[in-house]
Amino acid sequence: MEVRINRGKIIKKCIEEELSDLDFHYEGYEDNTWVFARKLGKLTWYVYIYVYRFDPWQITFHLGTDVPGKMQVQAHQIEGVKGDGDIPGYWRYHDEESMIEVLKEMTEIIRSKGIDVLKKLSVPEKVGEDNEMHHELYLHHEELAEAFVEKTGMVSTGYDEENLERWLDYIDSRIVEMSKCPYDKETKRELLEMAAFLGEQIVKYKNGVWSHNVKEKSERFCITCKKEIGKNEYTNCFINLLRVLIGKYLGNSREWLAWSFYDIIC
């Protein structure tokens, strides 16, 4: 007989209890993720509790801030953190009691190691996205994408693994070279062209839409598309293209670069 538990209720109660003295409070739920936030003046720290969409009996956490250009840190990227699931940084549980134990283990890691990670993520980088870049991408994505194709000769025949490998192989290696140079107007322009090209493929093949989000005087333009997660079941995927590409420029791995794009077809 299949065990049924109220994951949301357990997560909200346990995480708030375990991290309440650090002033983390429940922020909301989106796409298999429960978000907890701690306000620090103009800065916000985030703890994301993520249940694996293809196996709800595996769970993990990510850490992040609202500092521009900073990517989330996954549990397995923290030194010494492995978990015991099928995926690095995930933990398995089988009922309410074991889920609570796992959540307590995760919050202990956040206390002992995660706070230092959040402090590092709180230091602004000189390199980052800005409103001007987002406006340029939103208003001129078609011509920016065309410029990318003209410059690289890149072609697309669909949004699938074969095409993604070709696009991301080039973009990954090119950004590695770009990162050796100053973050100047030319670098920003090339990142915009890459973002526009990738975004237009999502629009063309995955019914993506360029979307506009305003939060606390900061504007962000993302690609939004619906991802099928079951028979007649869909969830929204949001990709901040500039943040992903700039994250790569700042040293994130190819895996990080590819994750959001592959997530659409997984």
Side-chain angles (χ1 to χ4, degrees), residues 6-7 18 28 33 49 63 70 92 111 196 201 225 252:
N6 189 329
R7 291 178 175 82
E18 295 297 319
T33 305
I49 306 299
L63 301 175
K70 294 288 190 174
R92 282 196 167 277
R111 284 177 169 280
Q201 307 319 305
C225 65
N252 284 329

Side-chain angles (χ1 to χ4, degrees), residues 62 71-72 74 76-77 87-90 165 168-169 172 244 247-248 251-263:
H62 297 180
M71 301 295 289
Q72 292 179 25
Q74 297 182 36
H76 78 275
Q77 294 177 304
I87 307 169
Y90 279 73
E165 282 294 303
L168 295 175
D169 278 347
D172 178 75
V244 173
K248 173 61 190 178
N252 284 329
S253 67
R254 188 189 187 285
E255 179 185 21
W256 259 108
L257 172 65
W259 182 81
S260 294
F261 300 102
Y262 272 96
D263 189 49

Side-chain angles (χ1 to χ4, degrees), residues 8-21:
K9 182 178 180 181
I10 297 168
I11 290 169
K12 285 188 283 186
K13 184 176 186 295
C14 186
I15 297 300
E16 284 210 317
E17 285 182 354
E18 295 297 319
L19 297 181
S20 62
D21 62 316

Side-chain angles (χ1 to χ4, degrees), residues 233-258:
E233 289 187 273
Y234 297 86
T235 185
N236 286 327
C237 286
F238 303 89
I239 305 179
N240 184 331
L241 296 160
L242 282 175
R243 181 166 294 178
V244 173
L245 294 173
I246 291 172
K248 173 61 190 178
Y249 182 89
L250 290 169
N252 284 329
S253 67
R254 188 189 187 285
E255 179 185 21
W256 259 108
L257 172 65

Side-chain angles (χ1 to χ4, degrees), residues 4-5 65 157 159 198 223 240:
R4 293 183 178 274
I5 61 175
T65 72
T157 57
Y159 195 96
L198 291 169
I223 283 287
N240 184 331

Side-chain angles (χ1 to χ4, degrees), residues 55-89:
D55 181 358
W57 299 101
Q58 295 193 67
I59 193 169
T60 189
F61 69 87
H62 297 180
L63 301 175
T65 72
D66 57 0
V67 176
K70 294 288 190 174
M71 301 295 289
Q72 292 179 25
V73 172
Q74 297 182 36
H76 78 275
Q77 294 177 304
I78 300 173
E79 185 177 358
V81 177
K82 296 181 179 179
D84 61 6
D86 297 334
I87 307 169

Side-chain angles (χ1 to χ4, degrees), residues 107-149:
T107 54
E108 181 55 36
I109 293 170
I110 292 168
R111 284 177 169 280
S112 61
K113 298 183 178 182
I115 298 303
D116 286 339
V117 171
L118 288 165
K119 287 178 180 178
K120 291 179 181 178
L121 292 176
S122 301
V123 180
E125 297 278 359
K126 292 181 179 179
V127 176
E129 49 189 313
D130 54 44
N131 287 348
E132 183 180 350
M133 290 180 73
H134 279 279
H135 274 280
E136 182 73 10
L137 179 60
Y138 185 71
L139 296 173
H140 304 291
H141 48 262
E142 291 184 359
E143 59 192 77
L144 286 165
E146 290 174 4
F148 177 85
V149 172

